[in-house]
Amino acid sequence: MNQVSFVTGANGHLGNNLVRLLLLKRESKGETVKAGVRDIKNTEAFAALDCELVYAEMLDEQAMVDALKGVDTLYHVAAVFKHWAKDPESEIVQANLKGTEIVLKAAAKNGVKKVVYVSSVAAIGHDGSALDEHHWNTETQNAYYHSKIISEQKAWQLAKELDLHMVSVLPSAMVGPHALNLTDTMQFIESIRLKELPFDPNFHFNFVDVRDVAKGLLAAGKKGQNGERYILANENSSNLMRVIEAANTLKPRYRNLPKAPKWLLIFVAWCMKIKSKFDGKPADMINSQIHLFYGVKQEYDISKAKRELGFSPRSDIKALKEAFTYLEQKALNQA
């Protein structure tokens, strides 16, 4: 029987890696992979890929109803992923919340058999201890974090009301190939590669390879238990020294930077906020990020994903090393 898988946000970092994996793992030529995008004329991310491009704007109700006709498994990857916006409530929070509602209602209307909903460890939170899927974050200061929390909660509410078979996956900071437009996470890695960071911000991110997350999504679609959450992350976080260690395995040219005091970061964020009001350009750092990340390790208990999905992420050093390799090659190709 022809099985149809649909990926929203298919030209994004995770979405594109997932499309590639779905195509690679097809059990028969009868299986169809549909890539949902906002611009079907922009095919750069799908060169030589045997998938069907479908217009799927998550805030367009009729478009989503039309796009999901005949779909068996929906991987809802699309989301607004940014920390700064001129109007964060409408551009980030409400966009992600409304998008969740529109997509899941369209899935129910079309009788989609299984939904893999991509949330984020932002909905779990971090406090330095190894948090598991039972934990819910209560963050409200950072628009992106707040959006992921309430959007996933809305998704579970809708899944119950609409009788949807749904699992959620919660990735940490993803790095790796096929990032046509660099995410905030990949831009951070790029700034290190280019030696643009003036100091160590004392942030501890949990880096995971985007391809391992894609494998986790595929496993969730096949083996995930209805109503369950799965954290797709590394067990340990990485500070800047760890990231530089990974970079130096390729080219030993990077040195450790002085650690910035918290007050200095707050001052820099304030200056960036003032600047962004005048030029309209995104601020590289905002106060809520300092509040969230400064000196706090992002540790997670991933035993559930290992046990039920067979999740086995490569180490942070390996993931970061391969991310630097990808960025180096990308820069050469663009030169």
Side-chain angles (χ1 to χ4, degrees), residues 230-260:
Y230 298 96
I231 296 174
L232 303 181
N234 256 306
E235 289 174 307
N236 302 111
S237 57
S238 309
N239 59 13
L240 184 62
M241 289 178 63
R242 185 84 169 158
V243 180
I244 289 175
E245 178 186 342
N248 280 331
T249 62
L250 297 172
K251 293 183 178 181
R253 64 184 186 187
Y254 300 94
R255 61 181 178 83
N256 291 323
L257 298 171
K259 191 171 294 183

Side-chain angles (χ1 to χ4, degrees), residues 16-28 31 33 49-51 211 215 218 222:
N16 197 251
N17 277 277
L18 177 58
V19 167
R20 292 169 186 272
L21 184 63
L22 285 166
L23 292 171
L24 182 66
K25 296 295 184 179
R26 282 187 298 190
E27 296 179 1
S28 72
E31 290 190 26
V33 178
L49 297 184
D50 182 24
C51 60
R211 293 164 294 184
K215 289 179 182 177
L218 184 61
K222 294 181 180 296

Side-chain angles (χ1 to χ4, degrees), residues 3 25 36 73 116 127 174 192 200 215 217 269 301 318:
Q3 293 290 308
K25 296 295 184 179
T73 302
V116 179
D127 61 9
M174 291 175 283
I192 296 170
D200 179 352
K215 289 179 182 177
L217 264 69
D301 178 354
K318 184 173 177 59

Side-chain angles (χ1 to χ4, degrees), residues 41 46 69 81 100 102 128 137 150 169 199-200 207 217 236 243 246 258-259 273 275 309 319:
K41 294 181 181 179
F46 306 98
K69 289 178 180 176
F81 177 30
T100 290
I102 288 173
N137 198 357
I150 64 174
V169 295
F199 43 65
D200 179 352
F207 294 108
L217 264 69
N236 302 111
V243 180
K259 191 171 294 183
K273 180 180 179 180
K275 181 177 179 294
L309 303 182

Side-chain angles (χ1 to χ4, degrees), residues 18 31 77 122 165 168 186 193 213 241 272 280 290 292 324:
L18 177 58
E31 290 190 26
V77 182
H165 183 294
S168 74
M186 285 294 284
R193 186 185 76 85
V213 174
M241 289 178 63
M272 289 181 174
I290 301 166
L292 284 168
F324 279 114

Side-chain angles (χ1 to χ4, degrees), residues 183-197:
T183 61
D184 283 1
T185 302
M186 285 294 284
Q187 192 61 59
F188 177 71
I189 301 301
E190 176 72 340
S191 69
I192 296 170
R193 186 185 76 85
L194 296 175
K195 298 183 178 180
E196 292 177 345
L197 281 186

